[in-house]
Amino acid sequence: MTKYLEFPTPAGKHAGELASDFKLKNHGLEYLDKVFWNLPTEALYEEAIFRGEAHMTTGGALVVNTGKWTARAANDKYIVQEPTTTNKIWWGVYNRPMAADKFDAMTQRLQAFLQGEELFVQDCYVGADPDLRMPIRIITDKAWQSLFARNMFININNRDELKNHVPEFTLIASPSFKVDPRIEGTRTETCICIDFSKRMAIVAGSMYGGEIKKSIFTIMNFLMPLQGVMAMHCSANVGDKGDVALFFGLSGTGKTTLSADPHRKLIGDDEHGWSDNGVFNFEGGCYAKVIRLSADHEPEIYACTRRFGTILENVVWDPATRRIDLDDDQLTENTRASYPLEFIPNAMPEKMSRTHPKNVIFLTCDATGTMPPIARLSMDQAMYHFMSGYTSKIAGTEIGLGIEPEITFSACFGGPFMVHHPFFYARLLKEKMESHGAQCWLVNTGWVGGKFGVGKRISIRHTRNLLNAALDGHLNDVEYRKDSVFGFEVPLSCPDVPEDVLDPSTSWGNKDEYWMKYDALAARYIENFKLFSEGCPEEVAKAGPVRFKK
């Protein structure tokens, strides 16, 4: 990084007015040029634009280009292997071990790299429940990433509280800092690494804002379950009667869209905890995928893309008119909007509910076109499908994905962020569901009438009607059929949904091809679940599909 600003910046005179007494030297960051502490949104706008990091678009949203990194570098995530983690982490493709001395070397090089530079700090909380929230610190060398942290986490607006803030976990993000595979033993020059013993995380070599968000989520996924709190990659909303609904699913399956229901209060769109107190948001904001966003189908989220305070990542815009084009995917399919939760009109200011879920929904984007649009699961089936996490990765959400969806199994509907063994989470989820009488549903938001490229995506109108019927109890008394492959229950009717929609086989021209594809999907389920067989109860393993051909 080379210093290019030799004159005052807009917020320079007030950089330290909201500083904590717990200074950056406690993180080994010394000999800095200037530190901008807890700047509000307006000041971060000025700094980001002044530094050429961002531009303002029509309506006031800030647009940024993250360059090479337009998605998560899932294969470059590491966790330091040390005594407190060795026997607790589910080591593997998503949780690669890094030796403690390698992390120390990387930290020391980063500390030296940042000397003489200007840094931005946001002191905030993760976790909306006052009894469970954790004070964190996000340190960045980009003004817009400091605004991203301010959008995504829970802000502190009290000067005395900021002054006395001591973080329990600190994340340093420096896109310009490149790790050295020869020194740190990493795969590439990009590295996202967490050291639980030092309560430190580093995001190096990537400007993609999602790495900051997901690193904090990974931290919570490790710490919260150890306290008996279920950590969940899900959105959540609540009805007028206090009936909470959870929506699990990977990016692109509809979590954000389906939970933003004008008739229900939004608790949050992505990351939550389920404790004895109820359900609470880990975050203070939303991070929505906005490619081809529709004002008709997603009016609340669409409105946020034209609002001051929103950050638009990699959205195409016209420098002359300042208009954005949400349909243009020339930079990436994974265009994103980061905005405070309160931008959604029906969001809960408390970001939590003291009531417990009555419905748990697993969203799967089935690219084979064979799964029913909705199915009711038994408790063992719920654990099986939760651990399996079947879906299709949508283009753009990770580096290296092409246009066609990639069929995958992502444990707990969030494998890249799960730190414990999947059964650890599944057992905790079962305990919560049984304690509070929650019903579990599997909802397919993928394809009908054929696989990807042949059929079409399920109508969002039909999906909403099915969900509303489930949440309102209208599916409690209808007749069901038992699926011949997966054994779950599929309703034969639903208000405002054609009956043929409920049976995907009817929309295939070639029925033999349908059953062949469905059987092939069952085979992939069975093969994938072998990863979890050790230590998993027999009744859960038997709750999966049975190979069958019509």
Side-chain angles (χ1 to χ4, degrees):
M1 190 188 308
T2 57
K3 188 161 179 60
Y4 59 92
L5 293 172
E6 299 290 350
F7 43 85
T9 66
K13 292 182 179 180
H14 313 286
E17 288 190 15
L18 299 174
S20 165
D21 287 342
F22 193 81
K23 302 301 184 185
L24 295 194
K25 66 180 180 181
N26 291 288
H27 311 298
L29 297 172
E30 298 189 88
Y31 309 111
L32 302 169
D33 186 338
K34 184 168 291 186
V35 180
F36 295 85
W37 288 88
N38 299 304
L39 295 185
T41 299
E42 295 78 6
L44 289 169
Y45 254 70
E46 292 178 348
E47 287 290 331
I49 293 171
F50 182 80
R51 294 161 185 265
E53 299 174 5
H55 300 274
M56 189 183 293
T57 59
T58 300
L62 207 63
V63 64
V64 300
N65 188 322
T66 63
K68 172 186 175 182
W69 307 276
T70 61
R72 288 184 295 104
N75 294 325
D76 294 307
K77 185 185 120 185
Y78 300 85
I79 294 177
V80 174
Q81 191 169 29
E82 37 79 23
T84 68
T85 59
T86 298
N87 298 322
K88 292 186 175 71
I89 301 295
W90 188 43
W91 300 106
V93 63
Y94 292 129
N95 298 307
R96 291 175 170 82
M98 176 179 282
D101 61 336
K102 298 292 186 183
F103 182 82
D104 291 344
M106 178 172 62
T107 303
Q108 291 166 6
R109 290 205 307 114
L110 176 59
Q111 290 164 343
F113 178 80
L114 293 175
Q115 288 184 9
E117 297 300 331
E118 297 178 328
L119 298 181
F120 296 84
V121 177
Q122 287 293 324
D123 286 329
C124 40
Y125 291 108
V126 57
D129 188 335
D131 297 331
L132 294 166
R133 68 186 184 185
M134 181 171 71
I136 60 173
R137 173 170 288 172
I138 309 297
I139 303 169
T140 67
D141 56 19
K142 298 290 183 185
W144 82 260
Q145 286 196 325
S146 192
L147 177 58
F148 180 88
R150 188 170 182 83
N151 277 355
M152 298 314 303
F153 303 113
I154 298 171
N155 296 322
I156 301 170
N157 296 312
N158 181 289
R159 283 178 178 260
D160 290 337
E161 193 173 351
L162 285 171
K163 179 180 175 63
N164 296 312
H165 187 87
V166 178
E168 292 182 13
F169 228 105
T170 298
L171 182 148
I172 304 174
S174 179
S176 301
F177 177 69
K178 303 293 191 296
V179 299
D180 190 333
R182 299 168 302 176
I183 301 174
E184 280 83 35
T186 55
R187 193 180 66 92
T188 68
E189 294 179 335
T190 297
C191 179
I192 299 93
C193 190
I194 301 169
D195 187 334
F196 284 99
S197 65
K198 294 184 172 62
R199 296 281 177 146
M200 173 73 73
I202 292 174
V203 176
S206 173
M207 202 183 298
Y208 181 60
E211 298 290 14
I212 297 173
K213 165 189 162 68
K214 292 302 184 183
S215 293
I216 297 297
F217 181 38
T218 302
I219 291 165
M220 294 294 277
N221 276 350
F222 179 72
L223 297 175
M224 287 288 102
L226 297 177
Q227 302 177 45
V229 177
M230 179 63 189
M232 306 175 292
H233 183 216
C234 71
S235 56
N237 62 27
V238 59
D240 293 337
K241 298 179 181 179
D243 54 311
V244 174
L246 304 179
F247 300 79
F248 288 86
L250 288 184
S251 297
T253 56
K255 289 195 320 297
T256 300
T257 298
L258 293 171
S259 59
D261 186 331
H263 304 295
R264 297 173 65 85
K265 293 292 185 183
L266 181 67
I267 301 173
D269 84 323
D270 200 40
E271 299 164 5
H272 293 82
W274 187 354
S275 71
D276 293 340
N277 297 333
V279 172
F280 64 99
N281 198 341
F282 284 165
E283 304 177 296
C286 300
Y287 190 51
K289 194 172 181 182
V290 296
I291 190 69
R292 290 178 285 278
L293 200 68
S294 166
D296 294 328
H297 293 145
E298 299 97 2
E300 293 89 358
I301 304 171
Y302 184 88
C304 293
T305 65
R306 273 81 175 167
R307 183 163 177 175
F308 180 87
T310 294
I311 301 171
L312 299 173
E313 278 188 334
N314 304 309
V315 170
V316 174
W317 63 292
D318 186 328
T321 65
R322 299 295 169 130
R323 296 192 184 99
I324 60 173
D325 185 354
L326 297 180
D327 295 326
D328 196 326
D329 62 358
Q330 65 176 280
L331 296 178
T332 178
E333 277 274 331
N334 192 38
T335 54
R336 293 275 176 169
S338 163
Y339 50 89
L341 185 65
E342 55 265 27
F343 281 12
I344 299 297
N346 63 332
M348 296 186 70
E350 305 86 355
K351 303 176 180 65
M352 65 176 296
S353 173
R354 292 294 185 181
T355 57
H356 295 272
K358 293 301 179 186
N359 290 281
V360 175
I361 296 102
F362 297 157
L363 298 171
T364 180
C365 177
D366 174 34
T368 72
T370 59
M371 296 284 276
I374 192 168
R376 187 168 64 183
L377 307 182
S378 68
M379 197 60 67
D380 287 335
Q381 288 170 342
M383 294 181 72
Y384 183 93
H385 284 274
F386 182 67
M387 292 176 67
S388 298
Y390 167 64
T391 192
S392 301
K393 293 180 182 178
I394 305 299
T397 54
E398 287 185 15
I399 292 171
L401 290 181
I403 297 301
E404 186 169 338
E406 178 183 313
I407 294 175
T408 189
F409 292 87
S410 187
C412 310
F413 294 95
F417 327 116
M418 299 301 149
V419 190
H420 300 285
H421 188 282
F423 181 67
F424 187 89
Y425 298 104
R427 181 177 56 194
L428 189 53
L429 179 63
K430 177 185 177 182
E431 291 172 0
K432 300 292 185 186
M433 291 177 63
E434 286 184 332
S435 296
H436 302 288
Q439 177 63 62
C440 188
W441 307 87
L442 181 67
V443 173
N444 174 24
T445 62
W447 276 258
V448 292
K451 64 179 183 179
F452 174 84
V454 178
K456 62 180 181 179
R457 197 81 185 257
I458 291 175
S459 165
I460 191 171
R461 177 172 55 87
H462 288 154
T463 300
R464 282 196 181 279
N465 289 340
L466 287 164
L467 279 173
N468 290 339
L471 299 183
D472 295 339
H474 296 318
L475 294 184
N476 292 344
D477 300 320
V478 303
E479 188 178 353
Y480 284 79
R481 66 175 174 87
K482 183 177 180 180
D483 187 87
S484 58
V485 176
F486 281 86
F488 43 49
E489 296 180 311
V490 181
L492 296 179
S493 63
C494 175
D496 301 316
V497 178
E499 290 187 7
D500 60 345
V501 172
L502 298 170
D503 185 352
S505 68
T506 62
S507 60
W508 281 61
N510 186 325
K511 296 296 190 295
D512 290 337
E513 183 182 5
Y514 170 82
W515 290 108
M516 181 181 69
K517 291 290 185 183
Y518 206 18
D519 180 69
L521 178 59
R524 294 188 66 168
Y525 258 93
I526 293 168
E527 186 64 26
N528 174 75
F529 205 79
K530 292 178 182 178
L531 296 171
F532 318 125
S533 57
E534 185 176 348
C536 183
E538 185 178 358
E539 60 269 22
V540 176
K542 288 184 175 180
V546 177
R547 297 291 302 276
F548 172 80
K549 290 185 179 180
K550 188 175 179 180

